[in-house]
Amino acid sequence: MIHLKNKEELELMYQSAQLVSKTLGMLAKEIKPGVKTIDLDKMAYDFIKDHGGEPAFLGYGGFPNSLCMSPNEQVVHGFPNNDILKEGDILSVDCGVFMNGFVGDHAYTFEIGEVAPEIKKLLKITKESLYKGIEQVLPGNRVGDIGHAIQTYCEKEGYGVVKELVGHGLGRVMHEDPQVPNYGRRGTGKVLKEGITLAIEPMINMGTDKVRFHKDGWTVTTRDNMPSAHFEHDVAIIDGKPTLLSTFQYIYDALGIESDEEKPFLYKK
């Protein structure tokens, strides 16, 4: 069942998503060569708690940390650990917050120092595909329109679109209906309506779309061990338009990046 949100609920969801955004922005300054991901996880836990939230991932299904941190060939659900980040790595950081009765959940793939041009392109296309999907979040469209937009944009560049993992509805719990695949056919799937809230999250591989699920029950890697990128936003239909509840702006401010990519989708109070 899809739970449509009213304006008051959407404002609470916006606040939860913004705390995730601020957490990622705080981490952006700390993610660099020589850092351990377990230390970043502790920073995120403290930051979330200090700002009135609870880490939504901690204990979820038995997950032991506040962040999913997935370097290089890890697609999603990686454990923070004592490994050292190295120049040329990439790191997907997925963060969740529970606050005001609602969950915020989004992700960004960071470059560690200077990365290879072909990896930069993978990250660029994956993030652009996220916005191609967001453009389809309109009343009367269907879930398949989102996946189709993401899939076609990435596959024309020769990338593998992960099929076994999907985005999802979001609200009072982490995963609500509907599932939001990053592939699909136009005009198929659940109808999108005013007040729907979705976590859209392209997971795109440089090589094959095939993935490996590890015995720890969480870690997912690419089957060919080539890099994977992951970007995620929380999106709602508000006043008939796709509207971002989350933002990458705090990351961009920390890293000195200029971007107007979010301008068409800004949340208006």
Side-chain angles (χ1 to χ4, degrees), residues 42-103:
K42 179 63 165 58
M43 292 178 198
Y45 174 86
D46 291 342
F47 187 88
I48 292 167
K49 295 285 283 188
D50 288 347
H51 288 78
E54 294 292 332
F57 295 173
L58 184 60
Y60 184 83
F63 191 77
N65 299 100
S66 299
L67 300 173
C68 296
M69 307 195 83
S70 309
N72 301 321
E73 77 280 2
Q74 291 189 19
V75 181
V76 287
H77 303 161
F79 295 116
N81 56 36
N82 286 304
D83 293 346
I84 302 294
L85 295 175
K86 303 185 302 297
E87 185 85 14
D89 285 344
I90 57 173
L91 179 68
S92 169
V93 182
D94 195 351
C95 179
V97 162
F98 183 77
M99 188 173 71
N100 300 327
F102 289 94
V103 176

Side-chain angles (χ1 to χ4, degrees), residues 2-5 132-149 168-169 177-181 185 187-200 235-238 240-243:
I2 296 174
H3 298 282
L4 304 177
K5 283 49 169 210
K132 295 295 182 183
I134 291 168
E135 288 173 357
Q136 299 301 313
V137 183
L138 295 164
N141 276 7
R142 293 178 178 267
V143 168
D145 297 319
I146 300 170
H148 178 81
H168 50 91
D177 287 336
Q179 291 191 346
V180 186
R185 291 187 296 116
T188 63
K190 298 290 181 67
V191 177
L192 307 179
K193 299 179 180 180
E194 180 77 17
I196 197 169
T197 49
L198 305 173
I200 301 175
V235 187
I237 297 180
I238 301 177
K241 299 177 182 178
T243 303

Side-chain angles (χ1 to χ4, degrees), residues 150-183:
I150 293 169
Q151 180 180 20
T152 54
Y153 193 76
C154 293
E155 287 185 346
K156 71 180 174 59
E157 299 290 342
Y159 296 137
V161 178
V162 175
K163 309 295 194 302
E164 293 92 338
L165 301 156
V166 298
H168 50 91
L170 187 72
R172 293 189 180 276
V173 296
M174 181 85 67
H175 295 101
E176 292 186 352
D177 287 336
Q179 291 191 346
V180 186
N182 297 305
Y183 63 94

